Structure formats: structure tokens, C-alpha cells
Amino acid sequence: MIDILRHSGELLVRARRVVVFTGAGISAESGIATFRDAQDGLWMGVNPSTVASQNGFSEDPGLVWRWYMHRLADITRVEPNPGHIAIVDLFALVRRAVGHSFTLVTQNIDDLHERAGSPQVLHLHGSLARFRCNRCRSIHHLQDMDRSASLPPSCLLCGEFVRPDVVWFGETLPGQTFAEATAAARRCDLMLVVGTSGLVYPANELPFIAHASGATVIDVNPEPTEFSRVARVYLQGRAGTVLPALLEETRLLTENPQT
Ligand code: BV8
Ligand code: ZN
């Protein structure tokens, strides 16, 4: 594993425009269940694809609301893990020279990247830190809401239910954010893919866009993924172990360039 880490560190040191693309797996070691786990009903026995949808919300707004309040309580209770923190330090290493860029794109709705110290995070699927009206989209603040209520609060402007400002299945991704992420994937020379099964469209297009534009793709995951066929390097393992080791290799190479 050392050689492949050293090789990955060399690729990172040579990279000028890096994109890190994360999924639920990067938050797993903080104690947040991934969607794949959830399919096994780890989350109150619900199937994400049904509750994380407009239909699910229309059918049972109370269930959806309680499911998100349950997840929000989990997120609030846990801390960023060494994988999140290694990405912050990698940002600093990559951005060491003028003209070098580093873009962090996540599918996750938790704020663990921000709480680890990542300054800019592109949330393709929205954020559970924000709430809005399901009809007029007016913003609502969590501190004004009763998290233990069995039903979502009603919009102060139009009376419709308030919902998390996340992208549900069947909904389009935030245009500006997705355009920025796609442009970064097209422009980058290295994409580090961490903790995603690659099953969710259109976010799962990004590594293929990067690869088609000539970028090197490195996949960090305990299991092979949809991206195995385009990844030049597959770092098999958990993000909380692999990313700090990769960071260390990269740091050594920048401090001793002749090695
Ligand atoms: C859209 C927010 C246009 C909500 C989420 C049939 C075929 C193909 C596509 C479709 C289809 N039917 C419908 C579609 C489209 C659909 C889709 O892709 N469905 C999938 C399920 C097949 N997509 C959409 O609906 C998207 N919108 O297409 O709009 C449109 C518009 C109108 C009409 C038609 C089309 C919107 C998708 C966004 C959904 N919202 N999240 C919420 O979170 O509650 S997606 C949700 O999935 C999360 O964001 C999560 O991040 C993501 C799941 O992906 P992963 O992150 O990869 O998580 P997963 O659990 O799958 O994998 C975890 C990985 O981590 C694993 O590989 C595991 O090995 C690894 N791991 C585990 N531990 C660790 C680890 N890795 C590292 N370290 C560890 N320790
Ligand atoms: Zn409203």
C-alpha cells in the first residue's frame, strides 16, 4: 500500500487543479450511516429513495420531517473525522503555489466538511443546515422551529409545509452549484473520489467528466465502485485511514522534492 500511496502523493504534488468529490462514505467514520447502510433499514426502517422525495413528503410529511430531524440530531452529535481533516490539510498543500486550484464537491447534506475547516464546499444535494418552504421556497430558520414536533412547521408566508433545503430524488440539482462542479471537473488534472458508490445521477457523472477531460482519477473506498473502470489508482480502505496517510506522503514529497 505504501508504494501506491507514494505514487498517489506524486500525482497530487504534480497536480495544478485538484477536485475532491465526496459521498456518504467520508462521514461514515464520524458515525453517520451511509445510504447503502440505510437501504438495510438502519434509518428507522425507511428507504431513503422513498422518504427523500416529494411524493414521500406529500404522503407522510410527518415521517419525512421526523426522519430528517433524526438525521440532524445525529449530525449535530458527531464530529468530523480524520478523513475530513486530511482534506483541509490537502487543500493547504495543493494551494501552495499561485495558479493552483482546489475544489471540494460533496453529495452529502451534513456540515462535517465545514466543521473540519474546509472553506468552500459545493453541496450538490443541498444542506440540512438550511430549511425552506416546499411551495414558495422562502427560507426558514431552525432556531424558530420545534425539532420534536410530529409535523413540519408551516410557512409564515404561504402556510405550506417547511422542508429541508436538500435535493430529493426526482428533483434537479442547484443549477449554479452543479455548473461550478462540472466546470471544475472538466478543468481539473486530478480528481480524488472519496466514499461514494457512484449510484446517484447526475452527481455520479463528475468523475467520468474529469476522466474524459484527461484528468487522473483516484478512488478511495473500502469496496470497488462504479468509478473503478476510470480510476488510475484505487486506494482500498476507509477514508479516515487512507486520507491522512496520503496527506503524509504528499507532505513528505513537497518537503523533500528530490526524493
Ligand atoms: C435528477 C439528498 C433530474 C437527500 C440525495 C434509474 C437509473 C438511474 C438514475 C435514476 C433512475 N431513476 C431515477 C434516477 C435519477 C436519480 C437517481 O440517481 N437515483 C438512483 C437512486 C438510481 N437521481 C435524481 O433523482 C437526482 N435528480 O436526476 O434530476 C430529473 C428531474 C426530474 C425528473 C427526472 C430527472 C437527484 C438525486 C439527489 C438525491 N438526494 N441526497 C438526503 O440526503 O436525504 S442523494 C443521497 O445519495 C446522498 O446525497 C448520498 O450522498 C447519496 C448516495 O450516494 P453515496 O454518497 O455514494 O452514498 P452510498 O451510501 O450510496 O455509498 C457510500 C459509499 O461509501 C460506498 O461506496 C461505501 O463502500 C463507501 N464507504 C463506506 N464506509 C466508508 C466508505 N468510503 C470511505 N471510507 C469509509 N469509512
Ligand atoms: Zn411558503
Side-chain angles (χ1 to χ4, degrees):
M1 179 65 152
I2 288 294
D3 288 348
I4 197 169
L5 276 171
R6 162 64 60 96
H7 176 49
S8 303
E10 286 160 354
L11 292 168
L12 267 164
V13 165
R14 286 204 297 269
R16 294 290 173 271
R17 292 171 308 283
V18 172
V19 171
V20 176
F21 175 56
T22 66
I26 188 138
S27 297
E29 286 158 273
S30 293
I32 301 295
T34 66
F35 273 69
R36 290 154 63 97
D37 303 336
Q39 306 297 353
D40 309 332
L42 286 187
W43 274 336
M44 301 157 60
V46 295
N47 178 338
S49 311
T50 48
V51 286
S53 69
Q54 192 61 252
N55 290 343
F57 190 59
S58 310
E59 268 168 40
D60 192 342
L63 173 67
V64 175
W65 180 254
R66 291 192 300 278
W67 185 56
Y68 279 99
M69 288 302 106
H70 175 83
R71 290 174 68 192
L72 185 63
D74 280 351
I75 292 165
T76 314
R77 181 176 43 80
V78 302
E79 294 298 325
N81 66 62
H84 294 105
I85 294 161
I87 287 174
V88 178
D89 296 338
L90 216 47
F91 171 90
L93 266 187
V94 168
R95 296 275 299 246
R96 63 193 179 286
V98 172
H100 291 199
S101 71
F102 184 102
T103 308
L104 175 55
V105 182
T106 189
Q107 300 170 88
N108 301 341
I109 62 172
D110 64 52
D111 61 350
L112 294 174
H113 280 303
E114 288 89 342
R115 284 164 55 196
S118 288
Q120 291 115 6
V121 186
L122 294 178
H123 280 273
L124 294 181
H125 295 155
S127 166
L128 197 41
R130 288 193 313 269
F131 288 80
R132 65 169 176 84
C133 171
N134 193 35
R135 181 188 298 145
C136 70
R137 302 181 77 93
S138 59
I139 296 297
H140 285 66
H141 298 286
L142 194 60
Q143 60 267 24
D144 305 334
M145 298 180 221
D146 171 8
R147 297 187 194 197
S148 62
S150 56
L151 276 175
S154 299
C155 171
L156 301 173
L157 299 182
C158 75
E160 172 58 56
F161 280 131
V162 169
R163 55 171 279 185
D165 191 16
V166 300
V167 180
W168 280 337
F169 289 101
E171 295 182 330
T172 49
L173 276 56
Q176 172 65 29
T177 305
F178 191 46
E180 265 184 69
T182 306
R186 201 164 277 128
R187 224 183 15 244
C188 75
D189 46 21
L190 188 143
M191 178 178 281
L192 187 60
V193 180
V194 185
T196 175
S197 61
L199 296 176
V200 176
Y201 172 85
N204 61 1
E205 300 272 285
L206 293 180
F208 297 111
I209 290 168
H211 178 256
S213 307
T216 294
V217 175
I218 298 176
D219 194 13
V220 178
N221 200 307
E223 299 170 8
T225 69
E226 289 292 306
F227 307 121
S228 301
R229 60 182 184 277
V230 294
R232 180 162 157 192
V233 179
Y234 169 43
L235 296 175
Q236 182 166 24
R238 293 146 54 101
T241 310
V242 170
L243 292 182
L246 176 57
L247 170 72
E248 196 43 34
E249 280 298 325
T250 311
R251 194 199 310 277
L252 284 173
L253 287 161
T254 47
E255 286 161 5
N256 312 294
Q258 68 283 356
T259 45

